[in-house]
């Protein structure tokens, strides 16, 4: 009986897995309609990211030209099986690397670096844990936008030094 219940849980959690590379229509078919839209993180993304909810997991898909290139899973009680299933659903045929710890982040990449997965455990038991899976293309766009932001820092410092430091920029 316990094995049967565990099998039902695994099968139901498999149906809640968004995948990098899927279209919005495929995501909706997998776990239902969009429950919310929010601004995308990157300017290179489509204007809005889609939020879905299924089996206690909140899924946020960020799309480029209608195809998911970043998927974030949030779950309060992320168990090992759920994490393994989500990683398996997003892995390419080459699988994932061993875990690399960067601070509190558990980082994995596909051997050809086509995908990156970052898992962060919630600090308290009531905080959600997150798994973010991105394509290599998303990573490059994210880095490009970050570097562009960093390039503005010298100008901001110069403006601050030329102005009254007590006034906000």
């Amino acid at each position: 009986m316990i094995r049967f219940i565990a099998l039902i849980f695994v099968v139901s959690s498999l149906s809640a897995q968004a995948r990098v590379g899927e279209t919005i229509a495929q995501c909706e078919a997998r776990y239902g309609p969009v429950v919310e839209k929010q601004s995308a993180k990157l300017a290179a993304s489509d204007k809005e990211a889609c939020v879905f909810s299924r089996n206690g997991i909140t899924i946020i898909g960020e799309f480029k030209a209608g195809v998911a290139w970043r998927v974030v899973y949030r779950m309060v009680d992320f168990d090992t099986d759920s994490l393994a299933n989500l990683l398996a659903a997003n892995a390419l045929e080459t699988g994932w690397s061993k875990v690399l710890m960067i601070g509190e982040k558990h980082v994995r990449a596909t051997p050809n670096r086509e995908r990156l997965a970052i898992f962060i455990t919630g600090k308290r038991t009531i905080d959600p844990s997150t798994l973010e899976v991105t394509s290599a293309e998303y990573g490059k766009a994210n880095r490009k936008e970050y570097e562009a932001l960093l390039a503005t820092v010298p100008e901001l410092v110069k403006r601050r030094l030329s102005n009254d430091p007590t006034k906000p920029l």
Side-chain angles (χ1 to χ4, degrees):
M1 180 67 173
I2 292 174
R3 288 182 183 164
F4 178 74
I5 292 170
L7 178 63
I8 289 173
F9 174 76
V10 169
V11 170
S12 68
S13 67
L14 283 172
S15 67
Q17 299 169 2
R19 293 183 176 110
V20 169
E22 287 189 334
T23 65
I24 295 172
Q26 288 171 315
C27 292
E28 288 179 324
R30 185 174 299 284
Y31 39 78
V34 174
V35 295
E36 180 185 343
K37 291 194 176 189
Q38 54 187 228
S39 297
K41 180 180 174 188
L42 292 184
S45 297
D46 295 347
K47 185 177 178 180
E48 295 179 320
C50 297
V51 181
F52 304 89
S53 182
R54 178 100 182 227
N55 297 332
I57 302 173
T58 299
I59 303 117
I60 304 165
E62 193 162 333
F63 300 85
K64 181 177 181 184
V67 176
W69 69 334
R70 175 181 182 244
V71 178
V72 178
Y73 307 92
R74 287 194 183 131
M75 186 174 176
V76 171
D77 196 15
F78 234 120
D79 59 73
T80 306
D81 288 337
S82 294
L83 179 60
N85 289 334
L86 291 170
L87 286 169
N90 282 282
L92 302 171
E93 58 278 349
T94 55
W96 293 101
S97 66
K98 292 182 180 180
V99 174
L100 171 65
M101 292 297 297
I102 301 176
E104 295 179 12
K105 298 177 180 179
H106 304 245
V107 180
R108 293 176 185 255
T110 55
N112 57 7
R113 293 193 168 82
E114 286 299 310
R115 295 201 179 152
L116 179 70
I118 302 169
F119 180 71
I120 304 169
T121 305
K123 294 189 186 296
R124 301 173 301 168
T125 55
I126 60 169
D127 293 337
S129 297
T130 60
L131 172 64
E132 179 177 350
V133 180
T134 65
S135 67
E137 184 184 6
Y138 179 90
K140 289 174 188 173
N142 189 26
R143 182 181 181 113
K144 186 177 178 180
E145 287 189 21
Y146 181 72
E147 287 173 348
L149 179 64
L150 282 178
T152 66
V153 171
E155 183 59 34
L156 291 174
V157 170
K158 188 186 334 179
R159 281 185 32 212
R160 180 167 288 217
L161 293 174
S162 66
N163 295 331
D164 181 349
T166 60
K167 292 182 181 177
L169 291 175

